[in-house]
Amino acid sequence: MPEEVLFKFERRMSTDDIAAYLRTVADNLESGESISLEAGGESVTMDPPARPTFEIKAERETSSSSGPAELSIEFELEWDEGEESGEGGDLRID
């Protein structure tokens, strides 16, 4: 299935600033509010259902030029457009 990027933002910032953004997303999810993203003249508002699929991925990406590896933690919420989805499961984050 082709992917259409609706919004993209990437910038190096402090962990305090990142935590504040994640906290806002968490607060909006908890209260059932829309999540609005805006930067550089781009914006999108999304309405996650009550039970989206939650995916966490930890990755190490190595460079073919033998440079240092890049580590990442990705958090993703997924749902079918116009449809409630998601299964229960246990997750622990320390």
Side-chain angles (χ1 to χ4, degrees):
M1 177 184 334
E3 180 177 277
E4 174 188 2
V5 176
L6 301 175
F7 181 88
K8 183 171 180 172
F9 174 83
E10 185 173 338
R11 178 185 304 157
R12 186 175 297 271
M13 60 178 59
S14 74
T15 54
D16 286 345
D17 289 342
I18 294 167
Y21 284 119
L22 291 173
R23 205 169 285 112
T24 299
V25 169
D27 290 345
N28 287 19
L29 284 171
E30 192 169 50
S31 66
E33 294 180 37
S34 298
I35 297 173
S36 295
L37 309 170
E38 186 177 330
E42 289 185 68
S43 67
V44 67
T45 298
M46 303 188 88
D47 295 299
R51 295 185 56 81
T53 299
F54 181 47
E55 179 181 335
I56 299 177
K57 196 184 307 183
E59 296 179 324
R60 176 184 295 116
E61 190 173 326
T62 56
S63 169
S64 59
S65 64
S66 71
E70 180 179 272
L71 298 172
S72 66
I73 300 172
E74 299 176 8
F75 299 91
E76 185 170 274
L77 298 174
E78 293 181 325
W79 63 94
D80 291 333
E81 200 164 3
E83 197 175 304
E84 292 282 329
S85 65
E87 293 297 320
D90 293 332
L91 170 69
R92 191 175 104 198
I93 300 176
D94 294 320

